Amino acid sequence: MLSEPPRAQAGFSDVLQAKICNELETQGWLQQDFFLPDELIIALAAECRQMSAAGSLKSAGIGRADGQVLRPDIRGDQIAWLKAGQSMACDRYLQIMEDVRIALNRTLYLGLDEYESHFAMYSPGTYYRKHLDRFRDDDCRTVSAVVYLNPDWLPEQGGALRLHTDANHTEDVAPLGGRLVLFMSADMSHEVLPATRDRMSLAGWFRRRV
Ligand code: OGA
Ligand code: MN
């Protein structure tokens, strides 16, 4: 019997790369479904759940470094920052986002130097009020990226990412497993609406060096 021919590397094809760069440039945001393969989403979701069960996720604050405060009335998620080497699934995800970083730099000349990312778990009823991802005293965050880890999400379960695309328009994106959202950190106000079930994601930022 003939062995299977090698498959094209799943992930970041030239076509997808061009589409992502084009949409980010023209609309300031984009949504891409089936961005990560199912088996990677399953592994990342399991890791997020295990960390949650083990108490390794911590309530997220607002503001930066010393100025961080807990304000569950503004932001209610629990997070853990990713470290290279923490798991095969995380390393694979970080490698894919590295490919995205290179593509964004090559096409849009954004000068992105690094990527930082955390797991986030919103338990039912928690939310994140309207905000910008760029800190007042730090303009390094340039492109925001969120990948969702929730299989079979239904719109009636809530939990949308609401993008305020301009003064009169919003776009709601359901946090469906495998979906990627990218947007320009400095310009796009956005919020996370409460859900009726746990809502897991990997949120991250492509940064320019200071
Ligand atoms: C954030 C954020 C959006 C989302 O963590 O800053 O806005 O859909 N997350 O989880
Ligand atoms: Mn945000």
Side-chain angles (χ1 to χ4, degrees):
M1 207 173 90
L2 287 173
S3 60
E4 265 199 80
R7 293 202 189 192
Q9 181 72 39
F12 208 47
S13 70
D14 289 352
V15 175
L16 183 54
Q17 181 173 316
K19 174 175 182 274
I20 283 177
C21 293
N22 180 52
E23 290 182 2
L24 188 61
E25 187 170 34
T26 53
Q27 355 178 91
W29 76 281
L30 65 97
Q31 166 186 328
Q32 178 61 49
D33 288 356
F34 307 108
F35 178 69
L36 295 185
D38 282 353
E39 73 272 12
L40 182 53
I41 292 294
I42 289 165
L44 291 167
E47 189 166 338
C48 186
R49 280 213 177 280
Q50 276 156 19
M51 294 183 84
S52 177
S56 310
L57 303 182
K58 304 293 174 205
S59 294
I62 58 168
R64 199 168 69 94
D66 320 341
Q68 280 245 341
V69 283
L70 291 183
R71 288 289 303 270
D73 55 322
I74 297 177
R75 174 175 193 185
D77 57 333
Q78 300 226 301
I79 65 167
W81 289 95
L82 258 62
K83 294 180 209 71
Q86 81 179 58
S87 69
M88 274 169 60
C90 284
D91 280 358
R92 202 162 150 220
Y93 159 76
L94 288 173
Q95 184 55 58
I96 292 169
M97 299 315 281
E98 175 65 7
D99 292 346
V100 174
R101 184 185 72 81
I102 290 165
L104 292 174
N105 280 347
R106 189 163 39 214
T107 316
L108 304 179
Y109 310 105
L110 289 174
L112 307 171
D113 293 303
E114 52 187 27
Y115 184 67
E116 58 179 4
S117 180
H118 62 58
F119 281 110
M121 164 83 86
Y122 290 81
S123 38
T126 61
Y127 52 82
Y128 194 161
R129 294 255 187 252
K130 187 175 168 189
H131 65 281
L132 284 173
D133 282 346
R134 190 171 272 201
F135 299 114
R136 260 189 306 262
D137 57 344
D138 169 1
D139 65 355
C140 297
R141 286 180 168 183
T142 304
V143 178
S144 302
V146 194
V147 174
Y148 299 105
L149 305 178
N150 314 292
D152 307 316
W153 193 277
L154 301 172
E156 57 266 31
Q157 293 170 328
L161 169 65
R162 177 165 290 169
L163 298 168
H164 295 259
T165 51
D166 66 48
N168 307 309
H169 288 100
T170 58
E171 297 272 353
D172 284 3
V173 181
L176 177 64
R179 178 170 283 166
L180 165 76
V181 177
L182 289 184
F183 56 88
M184 298 307 292
S185 307
D187 309 324
M188 187 69 73
S189 302
H190 58 283
E191 59 192 305
V192 177
L193 304 182
T196 56
R197 57 181 267 203
D198 287 345
R199 176 194 194 273
M200 294 181 291
S201 62
L202 279 163
W205 297 272
F206 294 100
R207 295 165 55 94
R208 275 192 270 245
R209 212 170 286 141
V210 257

